[in-house]
Amino acid sequence: KPPKPGNLGPANPRNGMITEFWQIDGFESEVNIYNPGGGVSMIGLHGFGGSARTFSKLVPHLPEGVTLYSISLPWHGKTKCNDDHAKLSLYSYAESLAGIISGLPTGKAHLLAHSFGARICSVMAIRHPEACGNLFYIAPGGFYPPEDFMFALTKYWPFSALLKSDFFLKPYVWFLNPG
């Protein structure tokens, strides 16, 4: 859960960062809060291989008064994950993200996303437009229709065998393919 207004701690210098862990979709998610205490909220979601630090180089270029809540997705950064794959779905994460935004001091957030983070933000924005300000996408990706070649390959050996046995790849494929 995001902190309540006033519980962000002492004012930090511009570009200061606080790291917290919030419960998002059943995962203890790493959240880096840049410029805490600003009057405008922005959520940052990275792509595969990124983390809550993905947007750190952009922070000096944010307008004054913008607080960036940059979140590490499951199995990324310092997010602590459990083995409950039932909760690992695109739609479930988007719903949890909407809940997080409703608990922010502003109750609404601009969305900054890279690659697969843009897919999650898009689903959330479609389902909860009242929670979204502007959408800022950097090289958006992860927009795969079910007939996409990548998922067609998962039916055939060796890909089918890999999905059944590979601890590393299996959670990502489940997260990518919500159906």
Side-chain angles (χ1 to χ4, degrees):
K1 250 344 243 180
K4 301 264 188 271
N7 291 343
L8 291 174
N12 287 349
R14 175 122 171 98
N15 302 330
M17 182 191 79
I18 298 171
T19 299
E20 296 183 349
F21 290 88
W22 297 352
Q23 287 296 320
I24 303 175
D25 202 23
F27 299 95
E28 193 173 328
S29 300
E30 173 190 25
V31 180
N32 288 342
I33 305 168
Y34 296 94
N35 304 330
V40 176
S41 295
M42 180 179 281
I43 297 285
L45 275 188
H46 60 83
F48 284 124
S51 73
R53 295 185 185 269
T54 293
F55 303 110
S56 63
K57 300 260 188 215
L58 295 177
V59 171
H61 305 286
L62 290 175
E64 194 72 37
V66 173
T67 298
L68 173 62
Y69 300 89
S70 188
I71 302 169
S72 283
L73 292 171
W75 287 280
H76 290 79
K78 296 178 183 173
T79 292
K80 296 174 179 80
C81 300
N82 56 39
D83 292 332
D84 186 3
H85 293 137
K87 292 187 174 197
L88 189 60
S89 83
L90 173 67
Y91 299 110
S92 178
Y93 201 89
E95 290 299 317
S96 292
L97 185 58
I100 291 295
I101 291 172
S102 71
L104 292 174
T106 57
K108 187 173 185 169
H110 299 292
L111 304 176
L112 171 64
H114 171 248
S115 190
F116 187 70
R119 183 174 184 193
I120 296 169
C121 287
S122 294
V123 170
M124 202 276 303
I126 289 167
R127 291 178 164 211
H128 300 279
E130 73 286 351
C132 300
N134 295 313
L135 307 177
F136 301 95
Y137 290 170
I138 303 167
F143 296 93
Y144 305 115
E147 65 274 5
D148 187 275
F149 78 94
M150 186 169 90
F151 296 111
L153 289 176
T154 62
K155 298 175 188 170
Y156 303 103
W157 189 89
F159 303 104
S160 60
L162 182 66
L163 291 179
K164 291 177 184 170
S165 63
D166 188 357
F167 176 77
F168 179 76
L169 184 60
K170 197 173 187 179
Y172 294 116
V173 174
W174 287 358
F175 196 58
L176 268 173
N177 190 358

